[in-house]
Amino acid sequence: MADHRELAKNMDLFHFEEHSPGMVFWHPQGLRLFRSIEDFMRQVYQNSGFEEVRSPIALNRSLWEKSKHWEKFRQGMFVVGSVEAEQDNESDLSIISSDYALKPMSCPAHIAIYQSRKRSYRENPMRLMEFGICHRNELSGTLSGCMRLRQFVQDDAHIFCRESDVQSGVSNFLKMVKLVYSAFGYEEFSLQISLRPGQRLGSDELWDKAESVLIKAVESLGHNYNLAANEGAFYGPKLEISLQDRLGRSWQCGTIQVDFNLPQVFELGFVNESGELERPVMLHQAILGSLERWIGILLEHHNGALPVWVAPTQVAVASISDKASPWAEKIVSRLKRMGIRVELHNQDRTISKKIREISKRKVPLIAIVGEQEASNQSLNLRCLGAREQEEMSLVQFEEKLADIFPAF
Ligand SMILES: [Zn+2]
């Protein structure tokens, strides 16, 4: 089994540099992979009633003080200082204040969107999601490829709702988790409920309520779970989902958290049926967690041979001879029109060399065409890792490809 960094090198996906520890340099093929996952998740969230938003990555310190991140999470944040030149001496620059911090998560930004105008009970549950660019100042010794980074994109979602909506929020979250994890080839996952940590916000009464609402929601769905003391977020208890990979390793990826505290700290409210101001509950959720880490785990789980629907290049079309080149080009343009990520190999090289090079990059499907296939309007399909190939018409191949995307 190869390490994801080794696979990424062979597949030309991304690399790391010493001058940006814990941050990824995405190559064209890698960004295609990243985007295909992002597009899929966008669809999943949209189908579950979430609206996508985008918020700044740097937010003023006063906001972090209010959200208590400054107090409880400061060592994990990158603080941005303002630099000003001393009078008449531009070489003497000094940092005069630390006004901003890069967001380690998007919660306060989504709260700002919620608070931007008056809210009504009719908007409940309000579901916001963002592919949020987050920074966390992890210790350099703990950084490990994509598995632990300082900069990453998280599918960061928040639901503003009533206490009576928590159960359906948790149930929808688990439905989304099942759909997404099986689309990526994971069949097994386990649940853990993480309870109040030592360092936390709010009263014990609110924690009692948040923990019992979450436990009740999970139990009513008939799921088994483990309880873990002290491992909740500082604002609320968490349900954490760990998937099992092919090597028997367990990775905690998805999470949903019940939060009565931040709505209180930020004095959130919506106007209820009787015209009074009522406080919402917040659910914080992520299905993949860090997309970069998700990609690292996915590469190792499949040893680079990703499911066709997500692969950065899905089909390589390789011609055996110059005379077959126009037909190969025709196939490529037809597949592109379908939205398939396809590449053409028409260069003057032997077909075995082409196949070797394409297979090294783990392209899942190779369509091989010679003069005979050109006159038959067909192709020979070879799947990654297989020795045999199967002849089919281009129309048959297109039908096959139309079926590769996960059903919702
Ligand atoms: Zn959050």
Side-chain angles (χ1 to χ4, degrees), residues 105-108 154 156-158 235 257 262 282-285:
M105 52 198 70
S106 302
C107 335
Q154 174 163 286
D156 214 343
H158 295 95
Y235 44 76
Q257 303 158 7
L262 290 181
M282 261 179 94
L283 300 177
H284 306 243
Q285 78 166 62

Side-chain angles (χ1 to χ4, degrees), residues 295-308:
I295 287 171
I297 297 168
L298 190 70
L299 286 171
E300 293 189 6
H301 176 67
H302 291 286
N303 200 23
L306 299 172
V308 179

Side-chain angles (χ1 to χ4, degrees), residues 16 30 68 99-100 107 144 151 162 166 180 182 209 241 243 247 252 272 275 280 306 309-310 323 363 372 374 388 393:
F16 293 92
K68 308 293 181 205
D99 298 333
Y100 292 88
C107 335
S144 166
Q151 180 192 286
R162 278 179 157 150
V166 171
V180 169
S182 82
K209 191 154 109 172
I241 314 295
L243 56 82
L247 303 147
Q252 194 263 306
N272 69 16
L306 299 172
W309 71 269
V310 78
K323 286 187 180 152
V363 176
Q372 199 190 327
E388 309 80 47
S393 70

Side-chain angles (χ1 to χ4, degrees), residues 214-244:
L214 181 57
I215 290 171
K216 230 189 276 165
V218 174
E219 284 183 347
S220 71
L221 296 166
H223 286 282
N224 293 325
Y225 61 90
N226 292 323
L227 273 183
N230 298 320
E231 288 185 28
F234 72 80
Y235 44 76
K238 304 196 258 190
L239 170 63
E240 297 179 292
I241 314 295
S242 294
L243 56 82
Q244 303 285 322

